[in-house]
Amino acid sequence: MSKRTKTVVAAVIVIIVLIAAACIYGYMSGRQTPEQNGQPNQTVEPDTPNEQDTPDDQQTPDETKENPVQPENPNPSGGESVVVYVPDEQGETLTPVGTDAVDDSDQALVDALITAGSLPEGAAVQSSSTADGVLTLDMNAVYGDAVRSSGTTGESLLIYSLVNTFVQARGVNSVLITVDGAPLESGHEIYDYPLEPTN
């Protein structure tokens, strides 16, 4: 009996071991199947994004087309519309702003800059001429005095509000500013050369 009991116990143990081995094998096979299936899925997945990339690529040019920066309120009253460059709130850079002018004359542009607070009251254009993409703009002493009495930042804003505005309005490359026929002078520089607009 004891031999039989031992044989039965041994048989039961062998059966349990076989069942456990089968379970482990099945579990491991089950884990490997998704990994194997995952490889074809990885092949399929790149195809799907590639198909989706094509419409995205077609949309990308539309999204990449950046519209040029438009000035704020480009034509407030429907009259003669001009773009003038005015200091920002911090008084550090210039911003294009749409406004109205009496007409398309040089003085009308300067008056629009005065109204916008970019130039001092009384600033005036005495004469102007264009040659080889350079606009020579002769200003009066009021403008010259304002430039000389400004600090470095104020000086730059006074000069480039005029330069940027006239380059935009007249389609020239640069502006040579004179005062009473002589080169514009500030406290530390003589502007005897054409100035290109700042960004």
Side-chain angles (χ1 to χ4, degrees):
M1 284 289 280
S2 66
K3 279 187 180 180
R4 244 184 224 178
T5 304
K6 285 181 182 177
T7 304
V8 170
V9 169
V12 168
I13 290 173
V14 169
I15 291 171
I16 290 173
V17 168
L18 289 174
I19 291 172
C23 289
I24 291 171
Y25 176 78
Y27 175 75
M28 294 305 288
S29 298
R31 280 188 68 198
Q32 289 173 357
T33 305
E35 289 175 7
Q36 292 169 353
N37 290 342
Q39 291 171 354
N41 286 344
Q42 289 171 359
T43 307
V44 173
E45 284 174 6
D47 292 342
T48 308
N50 286 344
E51 290 171 3
Q52 292 173 353
D53 284 347
T54 307
D56 288 342
D57 291 342
Q58 292 171 355
Q59 292 173 358
T60 304
D62 293 339
E63 293 169 2
T64 7
K65 289 179 186 172
E66 293 181 8
N67 293 328
V69 175
Q70 294 297 320
E72 297 174 12
N73 199 12
N75 194 359
S77 67
E80 184 73 35
S81 180
V82 294
V83 175
V84 295
Y85 285 77
V86 299
D88 63 4
E89 292 177 0
Q90 290 76 27
E92 295 174 351
T93 59
L94 294 169
T95 305
V97 176
T99 188
D100 287 335
V102 177
D103 52 41
D104 192 34
S105 66
D106 293 338
Q107 188 58 47
L109 284 173
V110 168
D111 289 341
L113 283 165
I114 292 169
T115 302
S118 292
L119 295 184
E121 199 71 43
V125 178
Q126 300 190 121
S127 67
S128 68
S129 62
T130 306
D132 299 324
V134 178
L135 170 68
T136 300
L137 202 60
D138 189 43
M139 300 296 292
N140 66 356
V142 172
Y143 177 79
D145 291 342
V147 170
R148 279 189 291 278
S149 64
S150 300
T152 307
T153 303
E155 173 186 320
S156 179
L157 292 175
L158 281 167
I159 291 171
Y160 285 100
S161 63
L162 199 64
V163 170
N164 287 14
T165 298
F166 274 86
V167 165
Q168 169 92 17
R170 300 295 180 245
V172 294
N173 299 322
S174 58
V175 177
L176 174 63
I177 302 173
T178 58
V179 175
D180 291 333
L184 172 64
E185 291 188 40
S186 68
H188 61 279
E189 187 166 353
I190 299 174
Y191 296 94
D192 56 354
Y193 52 92
L195 300 168
E196 295 183 353
T198 56
N199 294 329

